[in-house]
Amino acid sequence: MSFQFIAADLAARTARHLYRRQHLIEQSEAGRVKIDGHWYYNFSSNDYLGLAQSQALRQAACDAAQHTHSGSTASPLVTGYTVSHQRLEDYLCQRLGRDRVLLFNSGFSANQAVIQTLMRHGGQILADKLSHASMLDGALASQARLKRFAHNDVAHLSRLIQKDAEDTLIMTEGVFSMDGDKAPVQDIVELASEANALLLLDDAHGFGVLGQSGAGTIEAGKLSQLALPLLMGTFGKAVATSGAFVALSTQLYEYLINFARHYIYSTSMSPLMAEVTLASLKLVHKDQWRRDKLTENIQLFREQAISEGLPVSFSDTAIQPVAIGRSDKTLKVAEYARSQGFWVGAMRAPTVPEGSARLRVTLSSIHEQDEIRQLIRALAKGLKDVC
Ligand SMILES: Cc1ncc(COP(=O)(O)O)c(C=O)c1O
């Protein structure tokens, strides 16, 4: 019988406490979710600025629905590129100081498109070892050779780079999705420039949050288009809509439009989503108080977590991993937190390296300080009981 591996693989996942399933969100409001009839404080979402349920964004969606369409009905190169898309692109170009912006339906497809297209004639890709699956899969599906440098290890990257040897793409993340730490972007920019390599920065978790006005890692590090030729940002996290963009030079833009299969052969982002995303980006820019409150929440979480002896990392961002190690224990602590009314993601292999299972606590400006204190007490008790 064929496809026997399906049952075997699922059984192996179950045995190793790595089986996945969705949890149906029955309702959500103000930083809480209802699952299986119970309400939980949500410490798992990437809604870092609390925009997902904001009245302002709801209103923007209602307003946009009056004058635009829910579906684009075609690829951007056919009839799927509308003024709603153009307005969003123009806003981003001006906000980020880039020549052009290209929109995608997801960050996953944006990364795949950039990497596979620019490396379609071979060359080498040097990727941080902890790069997101969308980047690594893009690299594996390209014609280039993939080498991975130790996480945030500039010296290792420097040893791997051979100046002008062949077309080289370096890739890393502004804020790492599972660890919350930041890449040493300035050093990597310098190395890339010395080696004539292209640099791709995935700022999925920095965009909206970092920098004086939330423009992300490039604003925090003052990185021009020349320094950072390829910037990918997603709308599904701090911006609280969905889709993604790549900001780049006119020449790279033209190349992707002509050769990026994910762009050419896919229906473009919904124009309604483009309009709501633009409204959200304006809120991200204007509502500095959201970033200030997030910063306060991060500080409080870290102070309290350290004083309770939780195994937190050095992250100073909204992503705060609590290291546990074993998958079964991580699941048990997450279950305990749920029993106390907190929803926290249990991250296990292959999402994180084997043996480094963790709770991925994500903070938002929507959290109240008392909720954070209670969460930490619940995690401390759960860890004490389980480990
Ligand atoms: C670092 C990183 N890059 C890319 C993505 C993919 O973005 P999207 O969810 O828009 O597909 C994610 C999200 O899961 C991510 O964390």
Side-chain angles (χ1 to χ4, degrees), residues 124-357:
Q124 64 171 344
I125 296 173
L126 306 177
D128 188 288
K129 198 153 182 120
L130 298 187
S131 295
H132 190 257
S134 54
M135 284 195 275
L136 295 175
D137 285 5
L140 291 170
S142 78
Q143 297 301 314
R145 271 179 306 114
L146 169 65
K147 293 185 205 159
R148 296 163 78 179
F149 57 92
H151 178 52
N152 278 347
D153 188 338
V154 179
H156 188 205
L157 172 61
S158 159
R159 285 198 299 279
L160 292 181
I161 290 184
Q162 286 169 11
K163 192 167 174 291
D164 277 341
E166 53 188 329
D167 295 334
T168 300
L169 177 71
I170 299 174
M171 53 199 202
T172 189
E173 291 178 31
V175 174
F176 282 85
S177 59
M178 292 296 132
D179 294 75
D181 56 344
K182 299 176 196 147
V185 184
Q186 300 285 359
D187 294 342
I188 296 178
V189 162
E190 270 171 44
L191 273 184
S193 145
E194 280 165 21
N196 276 327
L198 270 180
L199 175 58
L200 166 64
L201 183 81
D202 174 335
D203 208 21
H205 299 277
F207 184 64
V209 178
L210 300 183
Q212 268 234 309
S213 68
T217 299
I218 62 155
E219 187 181 25
K222 298 190 173 56
L223 299 173
S224 66
Q225 181 175 288
L226 195 63
L228 181 67
L230 289 163
L231 168 70
M232 197 290 287
T234 58
F235 302 133
K237 303 183 195 307
V239 182
T241 61
S242 78
F245 70 88
V246 179
L248 65 191
S249 68
T250 303
Q251 192 192 40
L252 289 175
Y253 168 88
E254 299 288 349
Y255 196 73
L256 287 182
I257 283 192
N258 280 280
F259 294 100
R261 297 168 69 81
H262 298 77
Y263 189 77
I264 300 167
Y265 299 110
S266 182
T267 301
S268 65
M269 170 193 265
S270 140
L272 181 61
M273 194 50 67
E275 295 270 350
V276 181
T277 300
L278 178 55
S280 183
L281 287 173
K282 290 179 181 169
L283 290 171
V284 166
H285 193 185
K286 179 170 79 65
D287 289 356
Q288 179 57 37
W289 65 267
R290 294 181 188 274
R291 271 180 293 282
D292 293 343
K293 173 111 186 282
L294 175 63
T295 304
E296 281 169 25
N297 284 349
I298 295 168
Q299 275 165 2
L300 176 77
F301 178 89
R302 290 196 59 75
E303 277 162 27
Q304 299 280 312
I306 289 165
S307 91
E308 286 282 349
L310 292 188
V312 287
S313 70
F314 293 110
S315 160
D316 62 355
T317 68
I319 300 168
Q320 291 289 329
V322 177
I324 296 180
R326 274 179 42 185
S327 299
D328 55 341
K329 287 186 175 176
T330 308
L331 284 174
K332 283 199 175 121
V333 182
E335 263 163 39
Y336 179 77
R338 283 171 200 175
S339 74
Q340 301 302 300
F342 299 97
W343 197 270
V344 179
M347 299 299 164
R348 295 155 289 154
T351 307
V352 295
E354 200 75 55
S356 72

